[in-house]
Amino acid sequence: MTKYIKAGSAMLKVLESWGVKRLYGLPGGSFNSIMAALYERRDSIDYIQGRHEEVGALAAAAEAKLTGRVGVCFGTAGPGATHLFNGLYDAMMDRAPVVALVGQVVSSSMNYDAFQELNENPMFADVSIYNRTVMNPQSLPHVVDEALRRAYERKSVAVVTIPVEYGLAEIPDLAYSSAGAYRQATVLPDEKDVAEAVKLIEAAERPVLFAGQGARGAGEDLLALSRHYSMPIVLSVPAKGLVADEEENFLGMAARLSTKPANEALAACDLIVFIGSDFPFARAFFPAEARFVQVDIESSKLGRRHQTDAAILGDAGETMRLMVKLGARKEPGPFFRACLENSRNWRKWQRSFEDRGDVPLRAEPIFKEINRIAEPGAIFVTDVGNSTILAVRLLNLNGRDQLFTTSGWFATMGYGVPGGIAAALEYPERQVFTLNGDGAFAMVMQDIITQVKYGLKVINVVFSNDSLGFIEAEQEDTGQDRFGVLLAGADMAKAGEAMGAKGFSVTRPEELPEVFDQAKRAEGPVVIDVKIDNKRPFPAEAMILDPEKYSAEEIEAFKKRYEVNQMPLLKELMAAI
């Protein structure tokens, strides 16, 4: 005798079979049938109530980035659906698998201009690789199963729109999931392609190794390749933590979210070994004349950012191990030694500000405390803006168990608090930090109440400078007047306290150690609002230090503004070797 099950519950069973642990969202009239299913299956899959659908979508994206497992979010018809876009575009552009379930009015009211009815498929066409409206209750679990397969295969967003009455309809209780059949393969490189790349590396005098998040899980291979051929390492921002920040061969990040030694090395190199990245600023920061070796698991990415001399389709780890095997070890040359000296000088210069007593505060004393209390398995969720620049430069990740995530390519403000929710839910035993500018924090700070609701141990640090500092710097660089970037100040710590978090407002550097000690001991969410000076971080992408390009007066003014000392240019270091 055929057994029956509500279509909404059958769909949730499919999600569970794929390892989905939770759904993020906010109920609405057109999603209530799925809410009923979530209640029915509350013992096997969690519903996480955010206070804004955007927060749910960003949390799903962050969960996918941190785990590699698909994140799931939902929104009701109309405004609930449109609120999802920021999180979905973040997932799409950072290659994170996410499934969005979208409510729709009852099928008999569709195309009648019903209340909150929108033609939702065209809305999601650009952000998704799979985008379907379910046509009958029986197909609901099948369509969601297909969405999961596509999201995993393409590491992107799949959207399923569900007319509200379908979730409650009875359908045969069958095996709808294909999760057990899903497979992922390791793409092995062609040895001839790798051998061609090795020739270029062996011939290069100034090679640089640039890796992205496609090399995740292969940090030891990256270090082995760097050491074997004496190539300094530069990472993309999303790849931070792939190697330890204190690693001698690591120069930092490139472009604007960058370090001086990384940008200088790229500008001077004659070869870039580009592994697992789709760096969108390559045209501006990679020399056109440099030779180029590219490794990627997607053929469509090869040659996309730079004219390529050796293209390798293959897994990053497998390729790097083969590169080491096929080539002779290279002794460190003048370029490599100068790059490492440049990096040592940069780190020494950054550390020189850690014990400063400036009021308002500098960022370095704050990060000194973050690094001090950070546990070996800590997770760092960085929002977008100057907070990102500061985090990539000043966080000292150990290159092993610590995790880092941000909104990389889409760069949406408001990523920090939602990412902290996802991190703390997925890893309740681990320490979680969110690092936020005051502009970004204000966009999503209502969901501190979500951290409180679920008892999440998250240390939310807010760098309050009463400005959209990143945009203020762009206005400066383009000769514009400063306009629209100054923010009304507020006590974010008291706002956090009003929602049930523990709040600390810090105005003096001597307050930092005790505040961060208390934050570490806290059993729930913490908001630390640190009032910092509205000083632009050192612009490594636009340094005024080269006497061949700038006057002595311009250089002196730049050094005075950014307190630059004992930090010679890379070419000066090379000349001295």
Side-chain angles (χ1 to χ4, degrees):
M1 187 174 178
T2 303
K3 291 179 61 178
Y4 284 84
I5 187 174
K6 289 185 177 68
S9 293
M11 178 199 75
L12 292 181
K13 287 178 67 176
V14 170
L15 290 171
E16 293 164 27
S17 72
W18 283 88
V20 173
K21 295 181 179 179
R22 60 189 67 88
L23 280 70
Y24 302 91
L26 197 63
S30 66
F31 206 77
N32 273 339
S33 65
I34 307 303
M35 296 307 298
L38 283 165
Y39 177 77
E40 187 176 275
R41 299 198 62 77
R42 63 191 181 279
D43 292 334
S44 53
I45 192 166
D46 291 333
Y47 160 56
I48 304 301
Q49 179 202 68
R51 302 304 279 264
H52 195 295
E53 291 89 351
E54 177 185 6
V55 168
L58 285 167
E63 181 178 311
K65 294 178 198 179
L66 289 167
T67 66
R69 191 182 63 244
V70 71
V72 182
C73 59
F74 66 81
T76 191
T82 59
H83 281 168
L84 295 171
F85 277 108
N86 251 17
L88 298 187
Y89 270 102
D90 173 72
M92 180 194 78
M93 297 185 75
D94 278 357
R95 305 297 311 284
V98 166
V99 169
L101 306 176
V102 180
Q104 183 56 284
V105 301
V106 295
S107 58
S108 60
S109 294
M110 290 173 65
N111 302 320
Y112 280 84
D113 296 322
F115 175 69
Q116 289 193 326
E117 181 195 2
L118 292 177
N119 185 8
E120 289 169 345
N121 288 108
M123 291 164 44
F124 292 99
D126 183 64
V127 75
S128 62
I129 46 83
Y130 182 79
N131 176 27
R132 296 289 190 274
T133 295
V134 178
M135 301 308 292
N136 56 65
Q138 290 79 7
S139 66
L140 174 56
H142 162 77
V143 174
V144 169
D145 185 61
E146 185 70 23
L148 288 155
R149 281 207 311 273
R150 301 288 187 91
Y152 270 124
E153 180 186 20
R154 299 284 295 278
K155 294 184 173 62
S156 192
V157 173
V159 179
V160 177
T161 301
I162 309 167
V164 63
E165 79 273 26
Y166 289 177
L168 296 175
E170 297 278 343
I171 64 172
D173 188 2
L174 304 174
Y176 294 102
S177 174
S178 63
Y182 181 73
R183 297 290 185 273
Q184 291 180 302
T186 299
V187 181
L188 298 178
D190 188 315
E191 187 168 318
K192 291 184 294 184
D193 292 338
V194 178
E196 187 64 30
V198 166
K199 291 179 184 177
L200 293 171
I201 296 171
E202 290 177 331
E205 295 181 357
R206 302 182 303 281
V208 171
L209 179 53
F210 188 108
Q213 61 181 337
R216 284 272 178 213
E220 289 301 318
D221 298 312
L222 185 69
L223 286 173
L225 181 63
S226 167
R227 293 163 181 166
H228 188 76
Y229 290 113
S230 297
M231 292 188 288
I233 299 169
V234 177
L235 296 179
S236 69
V237 169
K240 182 177 174 67
L242 184 58
V243 299
D245 283 288
E246 294 298 322
E247 163 60 39
E248 183 183 30
N249 290 12
F250 176 50
L251 304 183
M253 281 69 178
R256 185 170 173 191
L257 307 181
S258 62
T259 63
K260 172 183 178 288
N263 276 352
E264 286 188 294
L266 285 168
C269 72
D270 61 0
L271 172 72
I272 298 173
V273 181
F274 190 61
I275 299 178
S277 180
D278 192 26
F279 185 59
F281 306 106
R283 183 176 295 183
F285 288 91
F286 289 178
E289 67 277 8
R291 306 299 293 273
F292 202 73
V293 171
Q294 185 171 2
V295 180
D296 209 285
I297 59 170
E298 291 187 45
S299 184
S300 62
K301 299 287 177 63
L302 298 173
R304 179 179 179 179
R305 298 300 183 185
H306 194 283
Q307 184 67 36
T308 302
D309 299 283
I312 302 168
L313 181 66
D315 173 78
E318 294 284 349
T319 302
M320 289 189 286
R321 288 190 289 274
L322 189 54
M323 282 179 168
V324 170
K325 179 181 177 181
L326 293 180
R329 188 179 186 88
K330 288 180 69 173
E331 293 301 315
F335 174 75
F336 180 75
R337 298 201 304 273
C339 282
L340 268 55
E341 180 64 21
N342 200 21
S343 184
R344 286 191 289 269
N345 290 339
W346 169 260
R347 294 172 184 179
K348 182 179 179 181
W349 177 76
Q350 288 193 135
R351 288 193 297 269
S352 71
F353 300 106
E354 288 184 347
D355 296 317
R356 286 273 290 263
D358 302 37
V359 177
L361 283 78
R362 290 185 63 99
E364 291 87 355
I366 306 166
F367 278 90
K368 179 183 178 182
E369 295 304 315
I370 293 170
N371 290 324
R372 177 180 68 83
I373 71 165
E375 296 171 356
I379 302 170
F380 300 92
V381 184
T382 300
D383 215 305
V384 170
N386 279 352
S387 59
T388 327
I389 299 177
L390 298 172
V392 299
R393 290 179 180 175
L394 300 174
L395 277 179
N396 287 328
L397 272 62
N398 59 25
R400 297 184 301 276
D401 299 322
Q402 291 175 334
L403 299 176
F404 174 90
T405 180
T406 189
S407 179
W409 203 352
F410 193 50
T412 181
M413 293 169 67
Y415 182 84
V417 170
I421 292 169
L425 286 167
E426 181 64 29
Y427 301 103
E429 75 289 354
R430 297 174 72 168
Q431 190 182 45
V432 176
F433 294 85
T434 76
L435 308 173
N436 319 262
D438 48 351
F441 185 75
M443 291 183 173
V444 291
M445 67 181 184
Q446 79 283 336
D447 270 271
I448 291 295
I449 203 168
T450 302
Q451 295 183 2
V452 172
K453 176 184 175 73
Y454 294 101
L456 305 179
K457 295 177 65 173
V458 182
I459 301 173
N460 302 279
V461 183
V462 185
F463 301 91
S464 289
N465 63 345
D466 297 341
S467 172
L468 299 173
F470 197 88
I471 308 306
E472 186 178 340
E474 290 181 341
Q475 291 183 353
E476 177 186 350
D477 288 345
T478 52
Q480 296 176 240
D481 293 322
R482 185 173 65 174
F483 186 70
V485 294
L486 298 182
L487 303 173
D491 192 329
M492 302 301 186
K494 286 193 179 299
E497 286 181 344
M499 289 181 278
K502 185 177 283 290
F504 300 94
S505 184
V506 178
T507 59
R508 304 188 65 82
E510 59 267 24
E511 299 166 356
L512 289 169
E514 176 59 25
V515 165
F516 276 90
D517 283 342
Q518 288 194 50
K520 184 173 184 177
R521 294 192 297 265
E523 290 302 316
V526 175
V527 177
I528 304 175
D529 184 11
V530 189
K531 305 304 183 182
I532 67 169
D533 199 356
N534 186 27
K535 285 184 177 179
R536 181 178 179 176
F538 180 92
E541 78 286 2
M543 297 178 292
I544 302 176
L545 293 173
D546 190 344
E548 294 181 10
K549 298 178 181 178
Y550 304 102
S551 69
E553 292 77 15
E554 289 173 314
I555 293 172
E556 184 59 31
F558 182 87
K559 286 185 174 181
K560 183 177 180 180
R561 178 177 178 180
Y562 296 104
E563 302 184 58
V564 176
N565 56 77
Q566 296 181 334
M567 202 161 59
L569 297 171
L570 174 64
K571 64 181 181 181
E572 294 171 337
L573 293 169
M574 289 181 65
I577 292 178

